[in-house]
Amino acid sequence: MRPPTRNFVLFASLCGASVAAYFWFALRMPESKYTPPPEASNAAGAGFSVEVLRRAPHLYYRSARKDEFGKVVIAALAAPEEARVVTQVSCERLYMDRRGGLCLAYDRGALVPNFRAHLLTPELTTSSTLPTAGFPSRARLSRNGSYAAITVFTTGDSYDSDFSTRTNLIDRSTAQAMPDLEQYTVLKDDQVFKHVDFNFWGVTFFDDTHFYATLGTRERTYLVTGDASTRTLRVLREDIECPSVSPDGKHIAFKRRAANPAVTHLHVLDTQTWNEAPLTAETRHVDDQVEWLDDTHVLYAVVDPGKTPEAALNLWLTSITDGGPPRLFVRGATSPSIVR
Amino acid sequence: MNTTIDTILEPASLPRKLSLTRIVYPISLKPLLVLLRGGAARRHTTTALSANVWALGMTSLLTDVSTEMVTSALPLLLVFHLHASPAALGAVDALQQGAVGLARLLGGLQADASRNYKRTAAAGYLLSALCRVGFILSTLPAHFALFLSVDRLGKGIRTGPRDALLALSAPPEQQARAFGVHRTLDTAGAMLGPLVTYLVLRVLPGNYTSIFVLSLAFAALGVGVLLTYATDPAESPAEPSLSARGDLVRLLSDRRVRRLALVATLLGVTALGDHVLYVLLQRRFGLAPDMLPLLYVATPAAYMVLAYPVGWLADNYSRRQVLCLGYCALLCAYLVTLLELPLWLGVGSMVTLLGLHYAATDGVLMALGSACLPRAAQATGLAALATTNSLGRLIGSLAFGLLWSRTSEVMAVVLFALGAAIGIAVCFWLLSHRFSPALSGSCAPPNS
């Protein structure tokens, strides 16, 4: 061997040996700073069963805790930290009602990113599966459960991309995806409003076929109201993102960009008077589409960026009326849905 | 150094007459015939490619395995485990594009000034390799964004010197072939990377650190191959080195270089990104969303297969025509989106045309450019060509976006294709020596 080749072979062997050594240790110590262990345990739910929990008001959420990362948890509203059962279903986003629900999932083991929307039965088994176009963002159900609404990011995973979302309704009875919201007719001041850069996200239903959502175009956001049966959308107001309508339909909680455009704060809109007010009790950056615990309390995830995933993600509860500070509702949880 | 541009652009000594049919049909069937006959030009391909070409190819293969391992794993890690928003990832990418262009020029300039292409390229590869260490230590999205940016800077720095080294390692009549070999290996690496990531995540689910460790090893091996097996070309004392800013100004004010940069920009403007074409394909053919990732694999595969044969064709027939043919292939890809085709045929032809486009343009433009640049300014010149070409692509995409928003989807494609056809014709005309006396002269720098 010529000396340069000998040096290279030595160097390559050194690289190979180091990698082999690393993997030898890594395989023996499966814990890494990002690793959720593959097996979830039911230990936390000892003494409770899904059937018992489902009889009283309960909530579903996606766990971010270390030994159950990504698993769907069902918990009693009265004692969400104690009375809980960890299921074996994994979702990135989920939304449930009494008839079952919607689970946006991602197959981590697949060679190419593999995004799916599963329609779930009340027993959390999959009744049908539809492909989706990208990273899950939002999941909601209509009031009587006829439709499911999903929002996904379509280009966030590519090199030369900007923000782009796709929002579809799914007819739950036939398990068919309907045309995405970009195919709907949009009216603004009774004129047809159309632009190629339309993005829709954050659907929230106020009855079984009518909903609110966000329309984003040319750096602006609008609150729109839509009708699933006629496939029309109407622009209501400007500068409203990720609406969520209260159970009684009287309030819409939403996000609005602060002076620092990387930060969004929660606001509440009264649907009778159309008055808006910031939710001053919550001063942190909230990126979630909120869920309503009841007609006066909002529930949402806050990310603490400086912490590890299991410590960073928590559900917080704030009253829209009494001005009291936010209260930690469930630790290590996202994507809540309340079933009353 | 007395080689004229004629013999470089037209190595197979074709009829010099530019007939009207040539202008109307810039792309004749001749390349295909030459390829089929094969023998007619075999004498050009007897010499084996230099060891340098293979060394640079292997370096790129290893480095691309490393890079693509990281880029296929990072979005998953950032979005699913660290809760960054995908929109933020997009913004970081856009920011980096500009920085890469600048780094590319600086890398080229440094290589030309020091006449040390290998060392400058190695510095770029090493910088990217060191970022893997950064990834291993990172815990927050901001850390990853920072190291990803530095990684792209390294990529920018090495591009110019590497392409110059490739060009100087092959005799003029084999340059497109050399670039073809390099791009084949490069793309092979880019396709292997995600596969390695997949295998690692299968063995160690969720253990992203192990991906970065393996990625570091591949990157280090790449640097090792470069340092061990690549050599700088022999000095030719007749050529003074490009040392000062004045020389760069002189280079950029050279009419031939300016014209070439103009052609690179204009050709870039006629090109739509794969991403836009895939979106069009999806909307026009109702392609299922989960088929999309397949396209991101199939197109590089087509490119990988075609890069060498098309490079060979460019060497033995005409780089100018092959280059324009490559952009015409893209033009055909736009038209595919307008046709009523069965899904498989639409997707198949799109992938083939895109692969052909990259095979006939990326390396061929560099080979063509290298022949026109003074030896002392190879790295800077090639870096400038790459930068102006990608600048053109950016302008083209913006123009298409504007057309799309002002008219309908179909109208935008029709108008853009029409504009692209005119653009390609103009470039063909600019490159043809008949109409461009400046390009037909010697390629030595004006004052030396």
Side-chain angles (χ1 to χ4, degrees), chain B residues 62-342:
Chain B
L62 291 163
T63 306
D64 261 38
V65 169
S66 169
T67 307
E68 290 304 316
M69 280 183 75
V70 171
T71 44
S72 60
L74 263 191
L76 308 181
L77 171 63
L78 289 179
V79 174
F80 287 124
H81 295 275
L82 300 173
H83 309 285
S85 84
L89 288 184
V92 169
D93 275 338
L95 247 164
Q96 286 164 0
Q97 299 292 336
V100 170
L102 199 66
R104 225 189 259 139
L105 284 175
L106 290 176
L109 206 59
Q110 167 61 24
D112 281 331
S114 65
R115 307 296 292 273
N116 210 329
Y117 304 100
K118 178 179 157 179
R119 198 189 297 154
T120 315
Y125 281 110
L126 192 65
L127 188 61
S128 291
L130 288 177
C131 287
R132 295 343 180 222
V133 181
F135 287 139
I136 294 171
L137 301 174
S138 294
T139 48
L140 295 179
H143 299 166
F144 285 103
L146 173 74
F147 287 115
L148 202 59
S149 308
V150 179
D151 173 59
R152 298 292 155 81
L153 278 184
K155 187 181 164 58
I157 290 169
R158 70 196 180 225
T159 307
R162 189 216 39 223
D163 280 349
L165 203 50
L166 266 173
L168 295 174
S169 302
E173 71 278 6
Q174 287 188 4
Q175 277 179 350
R177 206 155 65 96
F179 277 103
V181 166
H182 175 263
R183 299 312 197 244
T184 298
L185 291 170
D186 188 77
T187 317
M191 292 179 68
L192 280 172
L195 192 71
V196 178
T197 295
Y198 164 72
L199 291 175
V200 171
L201 285 182
R202 262 286 145 99
V203 179
L204 293 164
N207 190 334
Y208 290 87
T209 310
S210 64
I211 290 171
F212 301 136
V213 168
L214 200 56
S215 167
L216 172 65
F218 276 111
L221 280 182
V223 179
V225 170
L226 181 77
L227 289 176
T228 315
Y229 294 106
T231 45
D232 271 321
E235 292 273 333
S236 62
E239 291 263 346
S241 71
L242 187 79
S243 52
R245 220 181 47 201
D247 291 324
L248 179 71
V249 171
R250 193 150 38 125
L251 171 75
L252 293 180
S253 60
D254 185 310
R255 210 170 151 199
R256 287 160 302 208
V257 174
R258 260 195 350 236
R259 188 161 295 213
L260 208 57
L262 177 69
V263 167
T265 314
L266 196 54
L267 284 175
V269 172
T270 71
L272 279 183
D274 307 11
H275 191 67
V276 181
L277 282 169
Y278 296 159
V279 169
L280 281 172
L281 203 63
Q282 224 180 347
R283 293 175 71 106
R284 306 276 310 160
F285 288 75
L287 183 73
D290 51 343
M291 285 276 285
L292 209 58
L294 202 69
L295 290 175
Y296 284 99
V297 179
T299 300
Y303 175 27
M304 188 177 80
V305 171
L306 290 168
Y308 182 77
V310 173
W312 181 90
L313 198 65
D315 277 342
N316 290 286
Y317 179 64
S318 156
R319 282 173 198 157
R320 172 167 57 106
Q321 296 212 4
V322 166
L323 182 68
C324 292
L325 177 106
Y327 279 94
C328 286
L330 196 60
L331 192 63
C332 294
Y334 306 157
L335 301 180
V336 164
T337 63
L338 298 176
L339 300 176
E340 297 276 335
L341 292 176

Side-chain angles (χ1 to χ4, degrees), chain A residues 4-5 8 11 19 22 27 33-35 92 106 108-109 111 116 133 135 153 155-156 158-159 161 163 196 305 309 313, chain B residues 71 76 80-81 83 86-87 90 93 136 138 140 152 198 202 205 209-210 214 217 220 225 228-229 275 289-290 404-405:
Chain A
T5 300
F8 178 70
F11 175 66
V19 168
Y22 173 81
L27 280 167
K33 55 187 164 182
Y34 314 113
T35 318
E92 301 302 329
Y106 159 67
R108 278 155 212 270
L111 176 56
R116 295 277 180 266
F135 288 122
F153 294 110
T155 54
S158 96
Y159 256 51
S161 64
F163 178 71
V196 70
L313 282 167
Chain B
T71 44
L76 308 181
F80 287 124
H81 295 275
H83 309 285
D93 275 338
I136 294 171
S138 294
L140 295 179
R152 298 292 155 81
Y198 164 72
R202 262 286 145 99
T209 310
S210 64
L214 200 56
V225 170
T228 315
Y229 294 106
H275 191 67
D290 51 343
W404 193 348
S405 63

Side-chain angles (χ1 to χ4, degrees), chain A residues 69 101 125 144 170 192 230 234 246 252 318:
Chain A
F69 193 87
T125 56
N144 295 332
I170 295 170
V192 173
T230 61
R234 202 155 47 80
S246 62
I252 297 173
T318 305

Side-chain angles (χ1 to χ4, degrees), chain A residues 162-205:
Chain A
D162 48 4
F163 178 71
S164 187
T165 59
R166 184 167 306 165
T167 296
N168 287 84
L169 300 193
I170 295 170
D171 185 334
R172 279 171 86 190
S173 55
T174 60
Q176 293 292 313
M178 298 165 58
D180 68 285
L181 293 199
E182 288 174 42
Q183 319 292 325
Y184 281 40
T185 309
V186 186
L187 296 175
K188 183 170 179 249
D189 306 325
D190 296 323
Q191 307 279 309
V192 173
F193 184 40
K194 196 170 167 55
H195 197 259
V196 70
D197 76 345
F198 273 9
N199 275 314
F200 293 94
W201 66 93
V203 167
T204 178
F205 285 92

